[in-house]
Amino acid sequence: HAGADRDECAVAGGHIALGRHHHGYVPEGDSDAGLSDRNTRILDSPFEGDFSECIKYKIGLCVSLKISHNNHRPHFLSSFCLTGLIFLWPSFALSADVSPETEMSVSVGVSFLDFRYAEYDVDGGLLDYENGFLPGLTLEATRTENDWFVTGKLDYHAGDVLYDGQTQTGVAVVTRSDAIILDVFFKFGRHFYVEGRPSYSLYGGVGHHYWHRAIRSIGAVSGLTEIYRWDYAALGLNHVLDEGDHHTWKIDLRIQRTLSPSMEFNTVQFPLAERNGTRIAFPWSRPLQKKQRLNIEPYYERWELGRSPNREVILGGKTVSAFEPDSVTNNRGVIVSFTGAL
């Protein structure tokens, strides 16, 4: 808990939740009677002017090209480089005469994401939720040698989503937020073929997820921005469910673990607790002419992030103790892409 000279607040859904009655703090020049709802506002970084109260829970998503985000553990960059060198070394060592068992393919497509995010208090009560439809693009490249394969994938989504939450004093707030999500995933695995049975493959991989939230102003409430980022490791199984001359239908199951997740607000890093997540997809494909293939992949993905420890931030010239609460993201989507062999 905060000391006598500090206020405690929650960084929840992208907002620092600072109540006007926390430890009796009232911004200079305002009386308690003067702190009306119409004076409620959120100040973007850097903060300027008085800070009476702010939206407690809000919405958004967004992205950055920065890969290494943790000053102490740049997991993704080092893991990606090391894993890539190990996995791709056989390809680099090949002679100029590429064997017929070596293949390279590239997939390009569009993605339709139903984004659903929620934050919870320490007792499991819902604090706020955010949801919306985000269109996106996907790019994937795969190299196969005999039964081994290596794949790199990039997913990008952008749009705006709904925020439904409340201020620290419980006043309902509904607004929208511009959103962008970037996800990079790199996996390595092997195909297995058993006579008389459907084929399957096992794989492991590493990835990076970047989410920037930019909340729009509404009325007297001005917006602010925060950034979530985390690396993750994954283990997966891809199994053929049905296969014919004109189609292949599979199930893809993946368990993933967040690594060094964090949220950045007003230049302050809030380290979040690592949690397990899941992804399940049902990719369907149909062969086309000239070594091309149509792919349709419905999927569900779940991320969990744990509460952060308290961190000191400066709001309106006053030092307060803040934290980021538990959160759960449930994504549902469909990817439509075309694959061509090189």
Side-chain angles (χ1 to χ4, degrees), residues 210-240:
Y210 197 107
W211 170 27
H212 177 278
R213 312 174 71 180
I215 312 308
R216 294 180 183 176
S217 300
I218 180 170
V221 180
S222 58
L224 62 77
T225 298
E226 64 186 8
I227 299 172
Y228 295 79
R229 41 168 91 88
W230 61 84
D231 304 330
Y232 62 94
L235 293 175
L237 164 69
N238 187 290
H239 196 285
V240 174

Side-chain angles (χ1 to χ4, degrees), residues 94-293:
L94 287 176
S95 63
D97 297 327
V98 180
S99 70
E101 296 178 335
T102 299
E103 296 181 357
M104 181 74 181
S105 64
V106 174
S107 300
V108 178
V110 295
S111 178
F112 306 92
L113 172 63
D114 178 17
F115 172 79
R116 296 182 181 273
Y117 173 82
E119 293 181 341
Y120 300 90
D121 60 25
V122 292
D123 298 320
L126 179 66
L127 296 175
D128 72 291
Y129 69 89
E130 309 162 6
N131 59 65
F133 169 76
L134 295 174
L137 300 173
T138 181
L139 175 64
E140 180 177 320
T142 299
R143 185 182 182 96
T144 303
E145 292 187 23
N146 299 317
D147 295 334
W148 297 89
F149 66 90
V150 58
T151 298
K153 186 178 182 182
L154 171 66
D155 292 310
Y156 171 86
H157 294 87
D160 63 274
V161 290
L162 171 71
Y163 163 76
D164 193 325
Q166 56 187 299
T167 65
Q168 178 71 13
T169 54
V171 178
V173 176
V174 178
T175 185
R176 299 194 70 82
S177 174
D178 297 312
I180 304 174
I181 297 177
L182 177 68
D183 189 273
V184 180
F185 183 56
F186 180 87
K187 67 180 179 181
F188 172 74
R190 182 180 180 180
H191 299 293
F192 295 88
Y193 303 94
V194 180
E195 186 175 357
R197 295 184 180 182
S199 63
Y200 66 94
S201 61
L202 300 175
Y203 63 86
V206 293
H208 183 76
H209 195 86
Y210 197 107
W211 170 27
H212 177 278
R213 312 174 71 180
I215 312 308
R216 294 180 183 176
S217 300
I218 180 170
V221 180
S222 58
L224 62 77
T225 298
E226 64 186 8
I227 299 172
Y228 295 79
R229 41 168 91 88
W230 61 84
D231 304 330
Y232 62 94
L235 293 175
L237 164 69
N238 187 290
H239 196 285
V240 174
L241 296 177
D242 186 52
E243 189 171 22
D245 294 336
H246 302 292
H247 76 281
T248 300
W249 184 36
K250 302 179 180 180
I251 182 173
D252 188 279
L253 300 173
R254 183 193 304 172
I255 298 176
Q256 45 202 23
R257 175 77 173 184
T258 58
L259 303 174
S260 298
S262 70
M263 189 277 287
E264 180 181 336
F265 176 77
N266 195 24
T267 71
V268 177
Q269 294 285 341
F270 291 81
L272 306 175
E274 299 177 352
R275 294 286 187 268
N276 294 327
T278 57
R279 187 181 190 275
I280 179 171
F282 295 91
W284 177 92
S285 63
R286 179 183 179 88
L288 304 175
Q289 60 181 358
K290 296 181 180 180
K291 297 183 179 181
Q292 296 180 348
R293 187 172 70 250

